[in-house]
Tab-separated table of all heavy atoms in Angstrom:
chain	number	residue	atom	x	y	z
A	6	VAL	N	18.044	2.206	-4.442
A	6	VAL	CA	16.832	1.901	-3.673
A	6	VAL	C	16.441	0.440	-3.894
A	6	VAL	O	16.122	-0.271	-2.941
A	6	VAL	CB	15.669	2.844	-4.055
A	6	VAL	CG1	14.366	2.382	-3.419
A	6	VAL	CG2	15.988	4.267	-3.651
A	7	GLU	N	16.503	-0.018	-5.131
A	7	GLU	CA	16.150	-1.406	-5.419
A	7	GLU	C	17.041	-2.365	-4.639
A	7	GLU	O	16.560	-3.320	-4.029
A	7	GLU	CB	16.268	-1.690	-6.912
A	7	GLU	CG	15.861	-3.090	-7.277
A	7	GLU	CD	15.833	-3.336	-8.779
A	7	GLU	OE1	16.250	-2.455	-9.545
A	7	GLU	OE2	15.378	-4.428	-9.175
A	8	THR	N	18.327	-2.100	-4.616
A	8	THR	CA	19.275	-2.931	-3.859
A	8	THR	C	18.917	-2.922	-2.376
A	8	THR	O	18.909	-3.968	-1.725
A	8	THR	CB	20.709	-2.430	-4.080
A	8	THR	OG1	21.018	-2.528	-5.464
A	8	THR	CG2	21.718	-3.210	-3.260
A	9	GLU	N	18.600	-1.751	-1.849
A	9	GLU	CA	18.263	-1.636	-0.426
A	9	GLU	C	16.941	-2.343	-0.104
A	9	GLU	O	16.813	-2.956	0.955
A	9	GLU	CB	18.208	-0.166	-0.015
A	9	GLU	CG	19.576	0.495	-0.037
A	9	GLU	CD	19.533	1.986	0.230
A	9	GLU	OE1	18.424	2.579	0.240
A	9	GLU	OE2	20.610	2.567	0.426
A	10	LEU	N	15.973	-2.266	-1.003
A	10	LEU	CA	14.695	-2.946	-0.765
A	10	LEU	C	14.874	-4.465	-0.794
A	10	LEU	O	14.317	-5.174	0.047
A	10	LEU	CB	13.652	-2.503	-1.787
A	10	LEU	CG	13.206	-1.040	-1.695
A	10	LEU	CD1	12.252	-0.704	-2.835
A	10	LEU	CD2	12.596	-0.711	-0.348
A	11	HIS	N	15.678	-4.941	-1.738
A	11	HIS	CA	15.964	-6.385	-1.763
A	11	HIS	C	16.683	-6.806	-0.484
A	11	HIS	O	16.400	-7.877	0.066
A	11	HIS	CB	16.780	-6.758	-3.008
A	11	HIS	CG	15.944	-6.884	-4.235
A	11	HIS	ND1	15.211	-8.015	-4.533
A	11	HIS	CD2	15.701	-6.009	-5.241
A	11	HIS	CE1	14.570	-7.833	-5.665
A	11	HIS	NE2	14.845	-6.615	-6.121
A	12	ALA	N	17.587	-5.968	-0.003
A	12	ALA	CA	18.301	-6.273	1.245
A	12	ALA	C	17.333	-6.331	2.424
A	12	ALA	O	17.467	-7.188	3.306
A	12	ALA	CB	19.407	-5.249	1.495
A	13	LEU	N	16.345	-5.438	2.443
A	13	LEU	CA	15.350	-5.446	3.519
A	13	LEU	C	14.545	-6.748	3.503
A	13	LEU	O	14.343	-7.378	4.547
A	13	LEU	CB	14.411	-4.245	3.386
A	13	LEU	CG	13.229	-4.207	4.363
A	13	LEU	CD1	13.706	-4.075	5.807
A	13	LEU	CD2	12.278	-3.079	3.983
A	14	ILE	N	14.103	-7.175	2.325
A	14	ILE	CA	13.330	-8.411	2.228
A	14	ILE	C	14.205	-9.612	2.603
A	14	ILE	O	13.750	-10.526	3.300
A	14	ILE	CB	12.711	-8.569	0.825
A	14	ILE	CG1	11.777	-7.390	0.508
A	14	ILE	CG2	11.984	-9.909	0.695
A	14	ILE	CD1	10.717	-7.100	1.561
A	15	ASP	N	15.459	-9.603	2.183
A	15	ASP	CA	16.386	-10.671	2.587
A	15	ASP	C	16.560	-10.696	4.101
A	15	ASP	O	16.597	-11.771	4.712
A	15	ASP	CB	17.745	-10.493	1.915
A	15	ASP	CG	17.719	-10.754	0.417
A	15	ASP	OD1	16.728	-11.335	-0.079
A	15	ASP	OD2	18.686	-10.351	-0.253
A	16	GLU	N	16.670	-9.509	4.709
A	16	GLU	CA	16.805	-9.425	6.173
A	16	GLU	C	15.547	-9.967	6.856
A	16	GLU	O	15.634	-10.701	7.840
A	16	GLU	CB	17.048	-7.974	6.587
A	16	GLU	CG	17.177	-7.781	8.081
A	16	GLU	CD	17.326	-6.326	8.503
A	16	GLU	OE1	17.379	-5.430	7.645
A	16	GLU	OE2	17.389	-6.102	9.734
A	71	ARG	N	10.163	-13.002	-2.199
A	71	ARG	CA	10.903	-12.260	-3.219
A	71	ARG	C	10.044	-11.093	-3.667
A	71	ARG	O	8.819	-11.143	-3.620
A	71	ARG	CB	11.244	-13.157	-4.392
A	71	ARG	CG	10.039	-13.731	-5.079
A	71	ARG	CD	10.351	-14.532	-6.323
A	71	ARG	NE	9.271	-15.352	-6.802
A	71	ARG	CZ	8.031	-14.975	-7.068
A	71	ARG	NH1	7.670	-13.744	-6.871
A	71	ARG	NH2	7.129	-15.809	-7.522
A	72	ILE	N	10.706	-10.049	-4.092
A	72	ILE	CA	9.990	-8.884	-4.579
A	72	ILE	C	9.446	-9.181	-5.971
A	72	ILE	O	10.188	-9.586	-6.862
A	72	ILE	CB	10.913	-7.650	-4.602
A	72	ILE	CG1	11.283	-7.240	-3.166
A	72	ILE	CG2	10.236	-6.490	-5.336
A	72	ILE	CD1	12.227	-6.058	-3.069
A	73	ASP	N	8.146	-8.980	-6.135
A	73	ASP	CA	7.515	-9.076	-7.455
A	73	ASP	C	7.571	-7.730	-8.162
A	73	ASP	O	7.790	-7.661	-9.359
A	73	ASP	CB	6.055	-9.502	-7.327
A	73	ASP	CG	5.869	-11.002	-7.306
A	73	ASP	OD1	6.820	-11.737	-7.607
A	73	ASP	OD2	4.759	-11.438	-6.969
A	75	PHE	N	7.958	-3.140	-7.242
A	75	PHE	CA	8.034	-2.050	-6.281
A	75	PHE	C	7.914	-0.737	-7.031
A	75	PHE	O	8.180	-0.663	-8.236
A	75	PHE	CB	9.330	-2.095	-5.453
A	75	PHE	CG	10.562	-1.711	-6.215
A	75	PHE	CD1	11.035	-0.401	-6.207
A	75	PHE	CD2	11.250	-2.655	-6.954
A	75	PHE	CE1	12.158	-0.058	-6.923
A	75	PHE	CE2	12.385	-2.323	-7.666
A	75	PHE	CZ	12.843	-1.004	-7.651
Side-chain angles (χ1 to χ4, degrees):
V6 171
E7 182 174 7
T8 299
E9 292 174 349
L10 293 176
H11 280 279
L13 174 64
I14 300 308
D15 290 346
E16 179 184 358
R71 60 175 165 53
I72 293 178
D73 272 348
F75 72 94

